[in-house]
């Protein structure tokens, strides 16, 4: 069973950086594509970025392209999101999600989320 | 970008009654394999989203059979046959085949 646990959220000033982590304890990490999805307080869901199982292929939403980098370390069963040049509008709960590589349905699994607050 | 439009955005339902949520996509959600892909997620208060339905009408493991999905092309529906108290929360449709992945605005379901 996939169990995803995010960490790394917190308060950061505008223009600052933060790195989120997502660890899978279900021993299926390397066979899963992974993604980050965020939810602004009181609002809906916004897909942020995705990465293939090998890490060779990545996708980004236009709103974060050039500022965020998704990566993974399969030896550590860990997904990362490096967030630079943070803006107030990046304030959100960030969820990691995964799905078996090759599945077109996506986002079978979700973590519990970590809150990022961008404020001075 | 594929725009997903849900209606209604809010639904107040009597316990035991049926509820229906509509989702419309700005592009057809048929993949090159000939299948149509559309997900429904439930988010209970204070919880992470949970996928209920994938590929339009397939229930995920553990999802009660009172939840059903239907539709084709660009028009999709999630139905709850008999609403229970644990069904309170938000419901989102999502298209998983065109990048960027996109969600509907969400529909809030509450008990009348």
């Amino acid at each position: 069973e996939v169990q995803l646990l995010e960490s790394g959220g917190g308060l950061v000033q505008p223009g600052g950086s933060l790195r989120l982590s997502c660890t899978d304890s279900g021993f299926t990490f390397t066979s899963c594509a992974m993604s980050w999805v965020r939810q602004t307080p009181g609002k809906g869901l916004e897909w942020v970025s995705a990465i293939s199982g090998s890490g060779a292929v990545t996708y980004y939403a236009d709103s974060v392209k050039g500022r965020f980098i998704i990566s993974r370390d399969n030896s550590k069963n860990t997904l990362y999101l490096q967030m630079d040049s943070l803006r107030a509008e990046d304030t959100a709960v960030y969820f990691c999600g995964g799905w078996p590589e090759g599945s077109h349905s996506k986002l079978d699994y979700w973590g519990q989320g970590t809150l990022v607050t961008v404020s001075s | 970008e594929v725009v997903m439009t849900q209606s209604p955005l809010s639904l107040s339902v009597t316990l035991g009654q049926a509820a229906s949520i509509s989702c419309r996509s700005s592009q057809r959600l048929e993949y090159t394999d000939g299948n149509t892909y559309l997900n429904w997620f439930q988010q209970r208060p204070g919880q992470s989203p949970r996928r209920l339905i994938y590929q339009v009408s397939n229930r995920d493991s553990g999802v009660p059979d009172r939840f059903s999905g239907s539709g084709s092309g660009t028009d999709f529906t999630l139905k709850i046959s008999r609403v229970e108290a644990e069904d309170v929360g938000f419901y989102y449709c999502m298209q998983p085949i065109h990048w960027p992945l996109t969600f509907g605005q969400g529909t809030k379901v509450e008990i009348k």
Side-chain angles (χ1 to χ4, degrees), chain A residues 35 37 39 42-47 49-50 59-62 95 99 103-108 110-113, chain B residues 1 31 33 37 39 41 43 47-51 54-55 60 90 92 94 96-97 99-105:
Chain A
S35 190
V37 175
Q39 185 168 37
K43 294 194 177 179
L45 300 168
E46 178 189 16
W47 172 79
S49 184
Y59 301 91
Y60 296 94
D62 284 347
F95 299 99
W99 60 91
S103 167
H104 301 306
S105 291
K106 302 184 176 71
L107 291 173
D108 301 48
W110 292 71
Q112 88 295 339
Chain B
E1 169 174 319
Y31 194 61
D33 62 5
Y37 292 88
N39 294 337
F41 294 89
Q43 188 175 29
Q47 294 187 12
S48 307
R50 161 202 182 194
R51 198 178 68 186
Y54 63 96
Q55 207 169 326
D60 274 281
F90 281 84
Y92 298 90
M94 184 206 108
I97 61 169
W99 299 101
L101 308 182
T102 46
F103 293 87
Q105 317 97 301

Side-chain angles (χ1 to χ4, degrees), chain B residues 38-110:
Chain B
L38 183 282
N39 294 337
W40 288 99
F41 294 89
Q42 175 194 60
Q43 188 175 29
R44 291 171 170 156
Q47 294 187 12
S48 307
R50 161 202 182 194
R51 198 178 68 186
L52 295 177
I53 302 285
Y54 63 96
Q55 207 169 326
V56 181
S57 59
N58 295 287
R59 277 188 301 275
D60 274 281
S61 176
V63 174
D65 61 8
R66 64 178 182 276
F67 290 94
S68 64
S70 62
S72 63
T74 62
D75 289 285
F76 305 93
T77 302
L78 175 70
K79 290 183 179 175
I80 311 174
S81 59
R82 297 171 305 279
V83 171
E84 298 189 5
E86 66 179 18
D87 301 335
V88 164
F90 281 84
Y91 292 80
Y92 298 90
C93 61
M94 184 206 108
Q95 65 82 16
I97 61 169
H98 300 285
W99 299 101
L101 308 182
T102 46
F103 293 87
Q105 317 97 301
T107 296
K108 182 179 183 179
V109 173
E110 59 183 9

Side-chain angles (χ1 to χ4, degrees), chain A residues 13-28:
Chain A
Q13 292 188 340
S17 297
L18 210 56
R19 188 177 81 157
L20 306 183
S21 299
C22 168
T23 301
D24 170 23
S25 60
F27 306 107
T28 59

